[in-house]
Amino acid sequence: MVLLSGVVVAGIPQLDTGSQAGADADAFDDVERVQKAQYAQSQFGGSDDGPDRSFEAVYVRDDDGNVLSKSSLLAGLRYQRTIRENETIDAALHDDGVTGLSNLVAKRAAGSPNASLDEQIRALEGATPAEVERLVGRTLSNDPRALRYLPADHGRNETTATDRRLLVAFDADAGNGTVDNATAALYHSASERSAAGFFVVNSAAMRDARSHFFGEMVELVVPAALAFILVVLGFAYRDLVDVVVGMVGVALSVVWMFGLLGWLGVAAGMTSIIPVVLVAGLSIDYGFHVFNRYREQRGEAEAIREPMRRGVSLVATALVLVTVTAAIGFLANLSNPLPLIRDLGVSITLGVVSALLIFLTVVPALKIEVDGLLERAGIDRHKRALGHGRYLRPALTKAVTVARRAAPAVLVLTLVVGSAGGVAWADLDEESYQQNDGVVAEWKQELPDPIGWDPHPVPERSQHVDEVYQPASAEAATQEPILIEGEVTSDDTLEDLRRGVDYIDEQGLVVDRADTPGVRSPVTAMQSVAARNDSFAAVLDDADTDGDGVPDRNLEGVYDAFYAADSEVASSVIERDDGEYESLLVTLSLDADYADASDVVPELAEGADRMADGDDRTATVVGNLAVNDAVLGEVVGGILTTMVLALAAITLTLAAVFEYMHGSATLGLVVSVPIALVLGLVIGGMAVLSIPLTLLTALLMSLVIGLGVDYNIHVGDRFADERRAGAGTFEALEAAVTGTGGALLGSTLTSAGAFATIALVPHPQLQSFGAIVVVAMTTAFAMSVLVLPSLLTLWDRYVPASVATAATPAEIPQD
């Protein structure tokens, strides 16, 4: 196994750590919004060459001061001079360069709209603070460009502000590497002036924040998780040697997983932390069962090797069955259209298989060698199994007492609670992802270094920018098209289109600045062409019977004239095929992002409904927000299907295996029941804890099956073994609950406790992940030691088939 481990580990350098984002190109072709989006792209996507520039914003913020003061505006101009002198930034600059409110004010002070940057600085330096304030007032009142650089709610008569921004225009024709380098240089230049309130939230800033976040997470969570694991392992094993041997097995299992991923070419990107923690938890569980059964098997006068052989033989069957059924639950995700989810399913399966191999071979062999060496040195290695102690054994046997006295009541109560949890599925919120707001509790920051959390400013700044500013340009805004199909030449078409746009605008979603048009539609495109084409303007006026600027008659003739006046502009908003008009496109520039999708998409859909006209004309939102919302619904629905199929597959597998091993397929069915109950309770826990369905949490719901199946198989298999050995019903239950249940308790405390430390991470997505796994593990343990004994009691009482093959002692009397 050491040699084989060397071969497996050699696959780690080949590991693919690239991005796992995206989905199969044809994975969602049957989703209506996806089909409409593809159609809109094919008809209208090639009509625009795109902007020749992109904007990066540099923000200036002073919560207790005035960023429109002379000193602040001068600082902005001097900063512009600094970045223009930066060769990396200058190589990517567009001819528009750097602009801001400070430039508009300074040019007024210089008395020339063409004043150079040095002339602007000298003019502003020569003005008094009062003169600068008057210049700011005149600029805001008379220059429509001014508000572009200020918060969305800033009024034209306000000459003070706590926020403003500069816009840096990068050339779209510059190479990606050139722009990326310039973006990084811009971030560093702003960071050097952070004391003056300058900052950016561009891609370079986000990369730095992610790197910082990962480092802080490692420093805070890993020590806490390891400390908790070691404390629980110390309690469970009460032996330092077994703790070390067990952790060697855990480490080898994780290393094997990454080695196999490398050899098989399976991606292990940014989500690789998920299989690591899950495989580590399951490996610890395997170790508990191996060590616990060995301790139970070893007699006072016995040597080491023979009881280890018996213990491994007895527990191997259950571990193999756990691995197979867990793999079914995890590999069910291969049907998911998202590569990330498929790769996670494969990764965890490989890790679980690795743990099985390691804990049935390397760990027992290592323990035999270590214990033998210590006993030859005169150190006694006889240890009592967890679950047989003075306090724990009586507590665990109470579950057997409950099963003896009230098994039917336990079953009814559990079914009611589990069903209530399952019903909560329909009430869970759906979100694309849970956004990090950057807030870190003070007590986490006050922990002693190095574990104290040092918050990074970018998340809070990013949220502040989203709340305060509108997008810098239409191109920078979220573009959300609406495709109108069907009878698009009827007289009311463009009137209905305007009503839909007005509704969306009334919800405050559309960018509304004079310098940045928030709507591009057939109407706005016609108006722009009419402004420079008198003959088309006459056609447009003649078709407008009510004088509201929107044609409401003879639309086919209007479209013909539009194409004749400027076919390129017309084809970007109106589809014509063989002289027939098939569809229209409205594109909205939204003051929203992906975090707002769950709130924004319904409002867009409502606006689209007002553009439609029953069966004659349809309107569909086909932008990225709407498509992602539809895809999330498909993924959630797909995972629900995956869970049902996985449950069915695991149930049939358990029935077949228990029939083969113990002569009773119905026993396998009984053991599988608590898995569905665990699933229902986890869903109920999500509802109680207000955890939404995101791509990550929906994935974890399918993984819950793989986690929930483990504990029940161990108890059910141990019960069957004891019955076959001749034990009575409750004697077998007591052996299963105190022996196997003790190992399960240790595993639950270790794994759930380790996952609970993820709550220390100030990110709602990771906190939701940790909470779901903790709920899954604790409920799985509760089902295995509190509910499954009652189910096994009812099975043994009412099902004629029995696994007992030896003479059965007198049953323990039922109360």
Side-chain angles (χ1 to χ4, degrees), residues 325-348:
T325 51
I328 292 173
F330 297 138
L331 290 179
N333 291 288
L334 289 176
S335 62
N336 197 286
L338 295 179
L340 180 148
I341 294 180
R342 295 199 302 269
D343 290 343
L344 280 176
V346 173
S347 300
I348 298 169

Side-chain angles (χ1 to χ4, degrees), residues 460-686:
E460 186 276 333
R461 289 172 175 172
S462 177
Q463 185 177 31
H464 176 77
V465 167
D466 289 341
E467 292 174 352
V468 169
Y469 293 96
Q470 285 197 342
S473 65
E475 295 82 9
T478 298
Q479 303 293 307
E480 202 69 10
I482 298 177
L483 179 69
I484 299 97
E485 298 176 286
E487 187 53 61
V488 296
T489 57
S490 58
D491 290 344
D492 60 349
T493 299
L494 298 183
E495 292 279 6
D496 289 345
L497 186 153
R498 185 192 60 179
R499 278 193 287 272
V501 170
D502 288 346
Y503 172 82
I504 296 171
D505 191 29
E506 289 167 2
Q507 311 311 308
L509 299 178
V510 180
V511 174
D512 58 351
R513 287 204 316 272
D515 64 309
T516 302
V519 179
R520 177 173 173 78
S521 71
V523 175
T524 63
M526 287 175 185
Q527 290 170 345
S528 68
V529 171
R532 51 184 169 80
N533 188 309
D534 293 338
S535 60
F536 177 63
V539 173
L540 211 57
D541 289 339
D542 183 62
D544 179 14
T545 62
D546 54 11
D548 63 354
V550 179
D552 50 25
R553 74 181 186 89
N554 188 28
L555 290 192
E556 187 169 359
V558 172
Y559 296 163
D560 289 340
F562 189 18
Y563 262 86
D566 193 326
S567 61
E568 183 176 353
V569 173
S571 63
S572 69
V573 291
I574 302 174
E575 177 197 355
R576 183 169 68 174
D577 184 18
D578 292 333
E580 298 293 328
Y581 295 101
E582 305 289 346
S583 66
L584 311 178
L585 189 71
V586 177
T587 303
L588 305 172
S589 297
L590 302 183
D591 185 14
D593 57 25
Y594 289 102
D596 307 315
S598 58
D599 297 323
V600 170
V601 172
E603 299 291 356
L604 295 175
E606 177 66 25
D609 287 343
R610 298 178 185 223
M611 300 180 189
D613 183 24
D615 295 333
D616 295 333
R617 187 172 64 247
T618 62
T620 309
V621 189
V622 295
N624 288 335
L625 293 184
V627 169
N628 283 357
D629 183 70
V631 166
L632 176 61
E634 287 292 308
V635 170
V636 170
I639 286 181
L640 182 60
T641 302
T642 298
M643 289 189 293
V644 172
L645 294 176
L647 280 173
I650 288 174
T651 300
L652 293 176
T653 301
L654 289 177
V657 171
F658 271 77
E659 172 66 29
Y660 175 77
M661 291 170 44
H662 303 297
S664 176
T666 55
L667 179 58
L669 297 178
V670 170
V671 171
S672 66
V673 169
I675 304 171
L677 298 176
V678 168
L679 200 55
L681 290 174
V682 170
I683 294 171
M686 290 179 64

Side-chain angles (χ1 to χ4, degrees), residues 81-262:
R81 183 165 57 189
T82 299
I83 62 176
R84 283 181 175 276
E85 293 172 352
N86 185 301
E87 294 181 358
T88 303
I89 298 176
D90 186 64
L93 278 180
H94 185 267
D95 290 340
D96 289 349
V98 187
T99 59
L101 182 63
S102 53
N103 301 99
L104 301 180
V105 173
K107 287 178 180 179
R108 282 182 178 270
S112 171
N114 299 316
S116 67
L117 183 59
D118 288 337
E119 291 171 341
Q120 294 173 38
I121 293 174
R122 286 194 298 270
L124 211 56
E125 286 175 337
T128 66
E131 289 172 339
V132 171
E133 184 177 1
R134 286 194 294 272
L135 289 169
V136 168
R138 287 201 294 270
T139 302
L140 292 176
S141 299
N142 301 320
D143 196 328
R145 299 170 296 173
L147 292 180
R148 181 185 193 186
Y149 306 106
L150 294 171
D153 60 353
H154 191 90
R156 289 194 175 275
N157 297 321
E158 300 178 49
T159 58
T160 62
T162 58
D163 292 89
R164 79 171 197 276
R165 65 183 170 190
L166 315 173
L167 297 180
V168 182
F170 285 144
D171 195 335
D173 294 330
N176 289 336
T178 301
V179 174
D180 288 343
N181 292 336
T183 300
L186 194 65
Y187 169 57
H188 292 302
S189 68
S191 298
E192 292 172 354
R193 289 166 175 76
S194 59
F198 287 77
F199 68 89
V200 299
V201 289
N202 59 16
S203 57
M206 292 299 180
R207 283 196 300 270
D208 188 55
R210 285 193 294 268
S211 176
H212 176 86
F213 183 90
F214 182 78
E216 292 294 302
M217 182 173 65
V218 169
E219 290 182 358
L220 176 60
V221 175
V222 172
L226 286 177
F228 191 91
I229 288 173
L230 291 176
V231 167
V232 175
L233 289 177
F235 158 75
Y237 289 139
R238 299 176 302 283
D239 183 79
L240 179 60
V241 172
D242 284 357
V243 171
V244 173
V245 172
M247 291 306 292
V248 168
V250 171
L252 269 178
S253 300
V254 173
V255 169
W256 266 54
M257 177 188 71
F258 282 120
L260 292 173
L261 290 175

